[in-house]
Amino acid sequence: LAESVAGRRVRDRGRAVVGMMMGSRFKAGPLSIAVPEGAFNKWVDEEVTRVQSRRQAGQPGTSSGGSFNWPKLNALTINDLTSKGREWVDFLGLKSGLQNSYGVTRNTLDIRKRMDENAARYIVNYTRSTMVLVCCLLCERPESVVGIVVVLAIVEWFSQFTARTNLDKQSTLYQILSILVTLVVWGVVLLSKAMASVSRAMMLVGIVTLAHACLRLPEAEERRKLKEANRRLRQIKR
C-alpha cells in the first residue's frame, strides 16, 4: 500500500511538472516534441520500481548512483587523533597473517568502505608513518631540508618583524617587504629543490597509504578469515 501511494505521488508530481512545462512555457507548434501519456507512465513506473529495488538492496536511491558519506571518518574526535594508535604488527597485518589481513576487491562501494574503516582505525599510524617517510625521503637531499629550514626561518622572522614594528598591512612599505620576502622564499625553494622533494615525498606517501587503505581488510572480515583458517587447520590435524 505504501509503495502504491509513493508511486502515485511520483506520477502525479511528474504529470504536474510536464503539464506546467507544456502549458505555460512551451506552446504547441509544428516542431513540438510530444510524449505520449502511455510512454510517460511506463517510464515513471520503471523509475519507481528501480528506486524501490535499490532501497531494498540497501543502496541510496538516486539516479547518479548514490553517495558515500564516510561515516567512520566523520565520527573521529580529537581523542582519536591524539591516541597512541594501533600496534604496528596489527597495522602491517602481521598479527593475523598477511593472507588473512589483505584482499583485493573490484567493488567500488567495498573499496570506499575499506578506506573509511581503515582511515578511521589507523589514522594515528598513517600520520606517524607519513611523517617518517617524508623525513626519510627528504634526507636523501640534504639541500632540500636546509631550504625548508631557511624558508621557515624567513617567514618566522618576517612575521615577528611586522609584529614588533606594528607595520600597517595596507602601507606601501609592508607591500614592498612582502614582495621581497616572497621573492627570496621562492628563490630558496628553487635553488634547494625543496618543492620537488616535498611533492615527490607526498606523492609516494599518498600511493602507499591509499594502497594500504584499499587492500587492508575490515576488522570483521579479518576475524572471519582467521576463524576459517583456524577451523581448516584443526580439520587437517584431525
Side-chain angles (χ1 to χ4, degrees):
L1 181 59
E3 293 180 359
S4 61
V5 171
R8 284 199 297 271
R9 287 178 180 175
V10 172
R11 294 189 191 95
D12 294 341
R13 206 172 291 169
R15 290 194 186 99
V17 172
V18 172
M20 289 176 62
M21 292 175 61
M22 296 294 292
S24 61
R25 294 191 179 184
F26 301 101
K27 302 299 182 182
L31 300 179
S32 298
I33 300 176
V35 179
E37 186 176 359
F40 174 74
N41 290 334
K42 181 180 178 182
W43 173 81
V44 170
D45 292 336
E46 291 176 353
E47 189 69 13
V48 171
T49 304
R50 184 186 65 81
V51 171
Q52 290 174 351
S53 63
R54 291 178 67 88
R55 286 177 178 171
Q56 292 173 358
Q59 299 180 5
T62 59
S63 58
S64 61
S67 59
F68 190 72
N69 295 324
W70 307 94
K72 296 191 176 182
L73 270 179
N74 291 330
L76 286 175
T77 62
I78 298 297
N79 293 332
D80 297 324
L81 299 176
T82 56
S83 64
K84 294 181 179 180
R86 296 296 187 103
E87 297 179 358
W88 289 103
V89 289
D90 179 27
F91 174 74
L92 296 174
L94 302 176
K95 196 172 185 178
S96 302
L98 297 179
Q99 70 278 7
N100 299 320
S101 301
Y102 293 91
V104 179
T105 179
R106 295 182 179 179
N107 190 299
T108 306
L109 185 59
D110 289 340
I111 293 176
R112 291 180 180 179
K113 287 181 178 179
R114 285 187 184 185
M115 292 174 63
D116 179 47
E117 179 170 338
N118 289 326
R121 182 166 49 154
Y122 299 119
I123 184 66
V124 177
N125 302 82
Y126 284 142
T127 304
R128 292 176 180 173
S129 58
T130 296
M131 294 174 62
V132 171
L133 289 174
V134 168
C135 290
C136 292
L137 291 172
L138 287 178
C139 287
E140 291 181 358
R141 292 183 176 178
E143 65 274 11
S144 298
V145 180
V146 174
I148 293 173
V149 172
V150 171
V151 167
L152 294 176
I154 292 173
V155 173
E156 180 66 19
W157 171 83
F158 183 65
S159 61
Q160 290 183 0
F161 175 77
T162 53
R164 257 194 337 265
T165 56
N166 293 325
L167 278 178
D168 185 10
K169 293 185 178 181
Q170 303 299 327
S171 64
T172 306
L173 179 59
Y174 180 87
Q175 299 296 330
I176 294 174
L177 289 175
S178 179
I179 292 173
L180 290 176
V181 169
T182 303
L183 292 175
V184 171
V185 166
W186 276 109
V188 173
V189 167
L190 293 176
L191 290 175
S192 63
K193 299 181 180 178
M195 187 63 69
S197 298
V198 171
S199 300
R200 183 174 65 98
M202 295 305 297
M203 183 181 66
L204 292 176
V205 167
I207 292 173
V208 172
T209 303
L210 185 63
H212 182 275
C214 293
L215 297 176
R216 189 73 165 84
L217 294 178
E219 203 166 6
E221 190 173 351
E222 182 182 352
R223 286 202 207 98
R224 181 182 59 79
K225 289 188 71 173
L226 186 60
K227 287 181 180 178
E228 291 179 356
N230 291 334
R231 189 179 68 249
R232 286 196 300 266
L233 186 60
R234 287 195 297 270
Q235 290 176 355
I236 293 174
K237 287 182 179 180
R238 289 177 185 175

